């Protein structure tokens, strides 16, 4: 079950953190030391993205803060923009090959063209089990040298790393032509303690 995203985040004293309220009120980049059940401490950043171009640009911005060994988990309904965001990540990382949905191959590796980490792009939608079902992908082997991005990875790949970046993309309800998205970045673990500053 997804955590609700309409309530303001609170700090360790129970005080609401400014800028973390109802989605749709404009761009915000809050950082919280919120304790999330089952995840330890998580830093949350919420952004409003108005178009696919902005989603791709967000991917390029994220690429600047990613490093070998990072695990990124993308969650959002079909058409929310997960692959568009990953395409921007690939551009920002300077990898080879066009980033497309890996639905039919499950995983696709994009080697770096700039002496950086490879991008491993995984679609776990059709994988019903947990990490056991993904062992053939050797993600645990790829992770130390690569940036691993997993679409639909919730409940399936958390065991790969205690430090991970969870990206939740919420599309506007009602008007399906609305390109606006609310993107919630949740950095879990010490690796992401400075997420807010890194994205500034």
């Amino acid at each position: 079950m997804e955590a609700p995203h309409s309530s303001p985040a609170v700090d360790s004293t129970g005080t609401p953190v400014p800028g973390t309220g109802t989605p749709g009120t404009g761009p915000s980049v809050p950082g919280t030391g919120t304790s999330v059940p089952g995840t330890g401490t998580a830093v949350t950043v919420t952004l409003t993205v108005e178009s696919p171009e902005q989603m791709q640009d967000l991917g390029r911005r994220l690429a600047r803060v990613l490093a070998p060994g990072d695990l990124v988990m993308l969650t959002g309904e079909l058409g929310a923009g997960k692959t568009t965001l990953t395409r921007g990540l690939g551009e920002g990382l300077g990898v080879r090959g066009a980033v497309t949905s890996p639905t039919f191959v499950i995983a696709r590796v994009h080697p770096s063209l700039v002496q950086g980490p490879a991008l491993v792009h995984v679609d776990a939608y059709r994988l019903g089990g947990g990490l056991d079902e993904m062992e053939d992908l050797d993600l645990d082997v790829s992770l130390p040298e690569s940036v691993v991005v997993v679409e639909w990875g919730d409940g399936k790949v958390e065991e790969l790393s205690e430090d991970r970046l969870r990206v939740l993309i919420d599309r506007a309800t009602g008007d399906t032509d609305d390109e606006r998205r609310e993107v919630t970045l949740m950095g879990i673990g010490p690796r992401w303690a400075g997420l807010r500053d890194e994205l500034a």
Side-chain angles (χ1 to χ4, degrees):
M1 176 185 296
E2 301 291 352
H5 301 284
S6 58
S7 299
V10 296
D11 63 19
S12 59
T13 66
T15 304
V17 176
T20 62
T22 304
T25 57
S28 58
V29 187
T32 72
T34 308
S35 179
V36 178
T39 62
T41 300
V43 175
T44 302
V45 175
T46 302
L47 303 166
T48 299
V49 174
E50 301 286 352
S51 66
E53 293 75 21
Q54 286 189 12
M55 185 70 76
Q56 197 159 333
D57 184 63
L58 175 58
R60 288 189 286 266
R61 287 174 57 198
L62 275 176
R64 296 198 303 260
V65 306
L66 294 175
D70 284 342
L71 173 63
V72 181
M73 298 167 54
L74 302 182
T75 300
E77 64 184 73
L78 290 171
K82 299 183 296 297
T83 300
T84 301
L85 179 70
T86 307
R87 189 172 297 121
L89 286 174
E91 290 179 5
L93 291 171
V95 300
R96 186 176 68 209
V99 174
T100 59
S101 176
T103 299
F104 297 106
V105 296
I106 300 179
R108 184 175 280 123
V109 179
H110 298 273
S112 175
L113 296 173
V114 293
Q115 307 301 313
L119 172 65
V120 179
H121 186 198
V122 180
D123 188 328
Y125 182 75
R126 291 181 294 129
L127 301 178
L131 193 58
D132 290 344
E133 191 173 342
M134 302 186 74
E135 282 184 352
D136 290 343
L137 300 179
D138 288 331
L139 294 183
D140 54 339
V141 175
S142 303
L143 186 57
E145 302 88 29
S146 309
V147 170
V148 175
V149 177
V150 184
E151 298 186 25
W152 306 100
D154 283 1
K156 300 174 182 176
V157 298
E158 286 87 348
E159 295 174 38
L160 285 173
S161 177
E162 293 183 1
D163 295 283
R164 55 194 180 275
L165 180 62
R166 184 173 181 267
V167 181
L168 176 65
I169 305 174
D170 282 325
R171 67 189 305 170
T173 57
D175 184 359
T176 56
D177 293 329
D178 192 339
E179 300 288 359
R180 175 177 289 189
R181 303 288 188 267
E182 295 298 328
V183 182
T184 302
L185 307 160
M186 181 180 292
I188 299 165
R191 158 72 178 93
W192 299 105
L195 178 63
R196 181 185 182 184
D197 293 336
E198 290 173 343
L199 284 177

